[in-house]
Amino acid sequence: MNKEIIYSMNTAYRGEYEIQGFSYGSGDKAACIVGAMRGNEFQQLYISSLLAKKLGELEARGAIVSGKKILLIPSINYSSFNVGKKYWITDNSDINRSFPGNPEGQATSRIAAAVMEKVTGYAYGIQFASFYMDGEFIPHVRMIETGKQSNSLASQFGMPYVLTAEPRSYDKATLNYNWQMRGTEAFSVYSGVTDTINGESANQAVSSVLRFLTRMGVIRYNCHAGYISTIMDEEDLLSIRSEHAAGFFKKLVQPGDEVVRGDIIANIINPMTGENTTDIYAPTDGIIFYCQNSPMIYQNSVIFKMIRRLHN
């Protein structure tokens, strides 16, 4: 393992700011893996630490294929971790909405430009991303439909689902989108939670990356075959909202649970009286993909996303 300084600059609050990378093997730029970009992505940083340990062990055993280089960047925004903020500490901007960046721009734009320069040219790019909504969700691989994406390659992670999505305006300022625009096969791996640590889903994410790198001929590693991934469009997810009342949220199901139409999947409780004011019903047969984890839910909030049964 070799330590690399991806980018450094002086900051007003914490002195020298460095982004550290760790490389394994040498030769062709085979795979680049990026971890936490935000200061609340504890799960993503934890996954990166597990992967760093595993890649170090594989390198020591000579299991990195000769002529292949892997670059791992565990965190791009550790300063925000240090002060308990989600976004960049001085102006609350989001690094993953700043790509491809500007070396003469604001801090997050300069960081994005430096990272983009370092990660360009790799055959495969993997980001441990956080879901755009707070809550818990089924682990999956997400790809932006740029016309350059490969569903078949995404399936090689062996995750339960591959989610595809049309690029929204802000997606065009993300690492994933700009990686694809520069010729890298880019994938975002989502592992269930963000601001807490879930060991089971973290290990699943690490296994999925090692499985992918093995299948792409970058490492030699014996692993479980994983899932036969279901490929679906993000637009096909059915959103369930708390339409009639606000209050305490008591969920009765978890991501991955199968439900049938008419099942009660949550209660909304009056915070003043403790009375159950609303039952939330499953509108169709399917699987819970996402659920809110906030203790209080407000009217018209999305509280679940469901995968409809294919036969419905």
Side-chain angles (χ1 to χ4, degrees):
M1 178 186 76
N2 290 316
K3 178 180 174 180
E4 302 181 17
I5 302 303
I6 304 301
Y7 180 66
S8 66
M9 68 176 180
N10 285 316
T11 65
Y13 298 98
R14 295 269 176 173
E16 187 74 8
Y17 169 82
E18 287 185 348
I19 298 174
Q20 298 178 359
F22 303 93
S23 61
Y24 307 85
S26 61
D28 295 339
K29 293 182 173 182
C32 179
I33 303 154
V34 175
M37 285 200 191
R38 296 165 180 157
N40 69 331
E41 293 181 344
F42 294 100
Q43 175 81 341
Q44 289 68 32
L45 184 59
Y46 179 63
I47 295 167
S48 298
S49 70
L50 295 179
L51 185 61
K53 184 174 185 293
K54 195 66 182 179
L55 289 174
E57 293 170 354
L58 291 172
E59 185 179 44
R61 298 205 310 260
I64 309 292
V65 172
S66 178
K68 303 290 185 182
K69 176 183 176 180
I70 302 169
L71 175 63
L72 170 63
I73 306 175
S75 174
I76 289 177
N77 190 5
Y78 68 83
S79 289
S80 292
F81 278 109
N82 288 342
V83 296
K85 292 189 66 174
K86 181 176 181 179
Y87 298 124
W88 185 247
I89 54 178
T90 53
D91 61 4
N92 209 38
S93 58
D94 187 352
I95 295 175
N96 203 31
R97 298 292 184 268
S98 303
F99 287 92
N102 176 3
E104 304 299 326
Q106 297 297 317
T108 49
S109 188
R110 298 199 306 273
I111 292 168
V115 170
M116 196 78 247
E117 180 182 358
K118 286 289 187 179
V119 305
T120 295
Y122 281 85
Y124 307 109
I126 302 165
Q127 180 194 356
F128 296 131
S130 57
F131 202 58
Y132 66 96
M133 298 173 66
D134 292 336
E136 301 176 17
F137 47 89
I138 292 177
H140 62 283
V141 177
R142 185 175 184 268
M143 295 193 345
I144 300 173
E145 294 181 338
T146 62
K148 301 176 183 291
Q149 80 282 357
S150 172
N151 292 349
S152 60
L153 280 182
S155 298
Q156 298 305 308
F157 285 88
M159 294 287 268
Y161 293 92
V162 172
L163 205 62
T164 62
E166 287 287 337
R168 292 158 288 202
S169 57
Y170 60 78
D171 283 321
K172 295 181 180 180
T174 63
L175 172 61
N176 186 301
Y177 181 90
N178 284 277
W179 244 341
Q180 288 193 47
M181 291 297 100
R182 297 191 180 196
T184 293
E185 297 281 1
F187 312 92
S188 295
V189 173
Y190 292 80
S191 63
V193 295
T194 299
D195 55 3
T196 59
I197 291 175
N198 183 303
E200 182 179 353
S201 61
N203 286 323
Q204 183 181 21
V206 170
S207 293
S208 75
V209 171
L210 296 175
R211 185 181 301 116
F212 178 83
L213 295 177
T214 299
R215 291 171 173 174
M216 296 302 104
V218 181
I219 64 174
R220 291 182 290 271
Y221 181 72
N222 293 322
C223 57
H224 189 274
Y227 295 86
I228 299 174
S229 301
T230 298
I231 299 172
M232 58 184 299
D233 194 295
E234 190 173 58
E235 291 297 317
D236 293 335
L237 294 174
L238 174 64
S239 294
I240 303 172
R241 298 177 180 270
S242 54
E243 296 180 350
H244 304 298
F248 289 127
F249 176 52
K250 181 181 179 182
K251 62 184 177 184
L252 304 176
V253 293
Q254 301 291 336
D257 287 351
E258 295 189 26
V259 298
V260 299
R261 181 177 179 177
D263 282 353
I264 299 175
I265 56 177
N267 307 128
I268 308 298
I269 298 169
N270 187 308
M272 301 300 176
T273 67
E275 297 293 328
N276 181 28
T277 59
T278 305
D279 292 327
I280 306 297
Y281 296 91
T284 185
D285 296 359
I287 298 169
I288 301 297
F289 181 85
Y290 159 86
C291 66
Q292 180 62 256
N293 61 3
S294 173
M296 182 76 76
I297 292 296
Y298 300 97
Q299 188 172 3
N300 209 36
S301 299
V302 174
I303 51 178
F304 294 102
K305 285 182 177 286
M306 276 185 63
I307 302 168
R308 298 179 179 90
R309 286 257 184 237
L310 297 179
H311 59 72
N312 281 355

